[in-house]
Amino acid sequence: MFSLWESFSAYIIFELLGFDRVSHLGEALHFFLFDTIKIFILLIAIVYAVTLLRSYFPIERVRDYISGKNKIVGHIFAALFGMLTPFCSCSAIPLFLGFLQARIPLGVTFSYLISAPLSDAVVIALLFSLFGLKITLLYIGFSLSIAIVVGLIIGSMNLEKEVLLEVKAACCSSAKEASNQTLFKLKMSEAWNDTMDIFKKIYIYVIVGIAIGAFIHGYVPTDFITKYAGGDVWYAPIVAVVMGIPMYSSAAGMLPLVEVLTQKGMLLGTALSFMMAVVALSLPEAMILKRVLSTKLIVIFFTTVGSAILFVGFIFNIIL
């Protein structure tokens, strides 16, 4: 579905509106149109589905299981599940919100939010084709480790009060005598109302965040990155991570750039840490999360993930 929308958005920008396909403005506008509609669709569909399902599913039992002695298992499952969802950092937010609405422990939801944009089947296949099995396995291992460890750290800090999104209790309708069909319609209506309530609260932040990401995507050149983060100086990963955090792209979209950066002399560890920073942390993501999480929690999230990515960049440069 999204490939068709990408083609249609390209038709609107480049054919109907007449923007040059290789121009910075045309690329930025195409990126903005495609990603905005994609995330709106994901936001409404996923939050609605999760909200409806949790009215039937014993969420409290799952939450208690994950919060208890099997807490680490919950983080592992969340990180592995993230690998199955081909989402960028902003596209992963709708399911992240769904987990919050379902009262899944905060640290576990962050393990998913970190893992989802870092690696999926497409990324793994591209990474293998470009850099071979060893690099692919190391990348998968480090990506999962970052998601699990950071999720455990955030989960241990008792930051639930920093979640600004109102988490409503699962529907327990008083219409006990109603037929199954009537009850289902009632639950559908309540799930839709809850979904629209969340959508109205954050859609402006989605638009602003993606607009910023589109500008960076269209106007930041590769030579600018290699100029300041290239070479084998010890601080190159630090510069790469700092430069990567404001940017916004998917891992699949970043891998061809990683190949170009390494061909231009950037160490592979530096290039991969740059890619991780771009896909796992982004200014658009922060803008969207600002409506859902407190500034304190966003800073903790970005700081811990950024530090973990920086550590991985140094390790890659040492062992490769």
Side-chain angles (χ1 to χ4, degrees):
M1 179 181 70
F2 289 127
S3 61
L4 292 176
W5 170 243
E6 184 173 18
S7 299
F8 185 63
S9 60
Y11 174 78
I12 293 174
I13 297 299
F14 301 125
E15 301 297 333
L16 291 183
L17 299 181
F19 287 96
D20 191 338
R21 288 181 177 271
V22 297
S23 69
H24 294 304
L25 180 58
E27 179 63 24
L29 289 174
H30 175 226
F31 184 93
F32 174 76
L33 180 62
F34 169 67
D35 249 45
T36 300
I37 302 301
K38 179 186 73 172
I39 293 176
F40 278 175
I41 293 172
L42 288 171
L43 180 63
I44 293 172
I46 292 176
V47 173
Y48 176 76
V50 172
T51 303
L52 181 62
L53 286 174
R54 77 190 181 96
S55 67
Y56 289 95
F57 197 70
I59 292 296
E60 286 74 16
R61 190 177 303 172
V62 175
R63 183 185 68 243
D64 293 341
Y65 177 83
I66 294 175
S67 300
K69 62 181 180 180
N70 296 292
K71 178 169 57 178
I72 295 179
V73 175
H75 288 272
I76 294 173
F77 282 162
L80 291 173
F81 180 65
M83 294 181 64
L84 301 177
T85 55
F87 295 147
C88 62
S89 59
C90 290
S91 299
I93 290 178
L95 195 48
F96 172 77
L97 296 180
F99 287 160
L100 291 179
Q101 286 294 97
R103 300 184 177 185
I104 299 300
L106 185 62
V108 175
T109 64
F110 271 105
S111 287
Y112 166 77
L113 184 63
I114 298 165
S115 174
L118 281 177
S119 55
D120 59 49
V122 175
V123 174
I124 292 170
L126 285 173
L127 198 62
F128 176 75
S129 66
L130 292 174
F131 299 106
L133 180 61
K134 177 183 176 181
I135 303 300
T136 303
L137 292 177
L138 285 172
Y139 179 84
I140 294 172
F142 279 125
S143 297
L144 291 175
S145 297
I146 289 173
I148 294 167
V149 171
V150 173
L152 285 167
I153 291 172
I154 292 177
S156 68
M157 297 176 72
N158 298 319
L159 295 168
E160 283 74 14
K161 63 181 180 297
E162 305 298 331
V163 177
L164 306 180
L165 179 69
E166 180 185 1
V167 179
K168 299 181 180 180
C171 171
C172 295
S173 175
S174 60
K176 295 181 179 180
E177 302 300 325
S179 66
N180 289 336
Q181 184 177 5
T182 302
L183 186 59
F184 180 68
K185 289 181 179 179
L186 178 61
K187 289 178 180 291
M188 289 181 64
S189 176
E190 291 176 341
W192 179 255
N193 291 336
D194 289 346
T195 300
M196 288 296 100
D197 185 52
I198 294 173
F199 180 79
K200 291 173 183 177
K201 289 178 179 178
I202 72 170
Y203 79 94
I204 290 296
Y205 291 81
V206 173
I207 293 173
V208 173
I210 295 174
I212 295 171
F215 176 80
I216 295 173
H217 180 83
Y219 284 88
V220 177
T222 303
D223 291 341
F224 178 84
I225 299 169
T226 54
K227 178 181 178 180
Y228 293 100
D232 58 356
V233 293
W234 68 270
Y235 55 81
I238 299 176
V239 177
V241 170
V242 171
M243 292 177 63
I245 287 175
M247 300 183 187
Y248 172 46
S249 181
S250 65
M254 282 298 299
L255 276 172
L257 176 59
V258 168
E259 184 181 26
V260 172
L261 292 175
T262 55
Q263 290 173 352
K264 291 190 174 185
M266 182 180 286
L267 294 180
L268 181 58
T270 303
L272 288 176
S273 62
F274 171 72
M275 183 189 82
M276 285 180 161
V278 171
V279 303
L281 303 170
S282 68
L283 189 55
E285 179 186 25
M287 289 295 300
I288 300 172
L289 289 175
K290 184 67 178 69
R291 187 62 184 86
V292 181
L293 309 175
S294 71
T295 301
K296 175 183 176 180
L297 182 49
I298 294 174
V299 170
I300 291 173
F301 169 52
F302 271 61
T303 302
T304 51
V305 176
S307 300
I309 290 172
L310 182 59
F311 175 76
V312 168
F314 281 120
I315 294 298
F316 264 118
N317 282 347
I318 291 172
I319 65 178
L320 297 178

